[in-house]
Amino acid sequence: MGREDLLKPERRKSFHVPLSRRALPLDTASLAHYLIGTILVRELPEGIVSGTIVETEAYIIGDAAGHAFRGMTKRNRSLFLKRGHAYVYLAYGTSFMLNVSSEVPGVGAGVLIRALEPREGIPIMRINRGIERLRDLARGPGRLAAALRIDAELDGCDLCRRGPLWLARGDRKVGEIGQSMRIGISRDADRLLRFYLRGSPYVSGLRSLNQ
């Protein structure tokens, strides 16, 4: 199958069931743990692209490392929506990052989606990323955003209903979930607010953090 074949529009819709907002824990750290094993679905003109979430980080209320720490701005206002909405921002001018708002309306906090195990649309992901190696397609927040073609246009979208980007129930038994310090931050860095699926080759970070 060539590139032109992969880019032909596909009519197939996802069979995954969207997550109910009522099922989402009303607590940022609990939500970060809960999202491990759920599915992130992206609907593109070429077809469905999806992956199982295997790594998250919580940025809780009052967290000095969180984008909501200094209050609401035009840039971060999606973090202050009711839980289950997308907050997408550009990091270092190069990579988009996907977060899930996690508290009641008006309270800023969120969960960063750090890594996925690719499921559907892997050929599309490979084109989007320009690489072949399955393990590296969505291992890290910038990589997964590129693989699923997530950008600022998706900021604020409702992840609890079908659309261009949404969350779905997991269809597999979730394994043991580990917990560690978060990656790449300097403030409030000692908090154990990173969650990951133990033993998954798709988790990012140093081996010492993934024991």
Side-chain angles (χ1 to χ4, degrees):
M1 181 180 289
R3 179 185 175 90
E4 291 183 0
D5 294 318
L6 288 172
L7 295 179
K8 289 179 180 177
E10 186 174 312
R11 297 181 181 274
R12 182 172 64 88
K13 293 293 184 180
S14 175
F15 61 87
H16 299 297
V17 178
L19 286 180
S20 165
R21 199 178 324 277
R22 287 179 295 180
L24 302 182
L26 189 52
D27 170 79
T28 303
S30 297
L31 179 60
H33 185 281
Y34 175 84
L35 288 175
I36 300 295
T38 63
I39 300 168
L40 182 65
V41 183
R42 178 77 164 106
E43 296 197 8
L44 293 169
E46 309 93 279
I48 301 295
V49 178
S50 72
T52 300
I53 296 174
V54 296
E55 183 184 358
T56 61
E57 285 180 346
Y59 290 84
I60 61 177
I61 298 170
D63 191 336
H67 283 197
F69 182 63
R70 299 189 184 280
M72 187 188 302
T73 66
K74 183 178 179 180
R75 180 195 188 201
N76 71 11
R77 58 189 176 187
S78 295
L79 271 179
F80 292 79
L81 296 173
K82 60 185 174 182
R83 66 192 187 281
H85 284 77
Y87 167 51
V88 181
Y89 69 91
L90 187 64
Y92 309 113
T94 58
S95 300
F96 286 102
M97 306 284 177
L98 171 65
N99 300 258
V100 182
S101 62
S102 55
E103 298 285 342
V104 297
V107 177
V111 175
L112 174 66
I113 308 302
R114 283 201 55 91
L116 303 175
E117 176 184 343
R119 292 173 59 104
E120 301 164 279
I122 290 172
I124 299 172
M125 288 191 194
R126 284 179 166 142
I127 289 175
N128 290 342
R129 289 275 289 112
I131 65 169
E132 289 292 323
R133 193 181 185 199
L134 183 66
R135 179 172 181 256
D136 290 333
L137 287 178
R139 186 170 59 89
R143 290 174 174 178
L144 80 83
L148 273 63
R149 215 180 302 158
I150 294 170
D151 59 23
E153 290 188 2
L154 295 170
D155 182 45
C157 76
D158 189 346
L159 299 173
C160 293
R161 65 180 183 182
R162 295 179 188 272
L165 181 70
W166 46 284
L167 292 164
R169 298 178 192 171
D171 56 3
R172 307 173 186 168
K173 184 177 180 181
V174 179
E176 185 180 356
I177 297 175
Q179 196 170 350
S180 80
M181 294 183 294
R182 294 171 293 185
I183 296 172
I185 62 172
S186 56
R187 291 180 291 181
D188 282 346
D190 58 342
R191 296 187 178 188
L192 301 180
L193 292 173
R194 174 177 170 267
F195 301 88
Y196 61 94
L197 184 62
R198 289 190 187 275
S200 170
Y202 303 98
V203 168
S204 68
L206 298 173
R207 183 176 297 179
S208 61
L209 288 174
N210 298 326
Q211 301 301 315

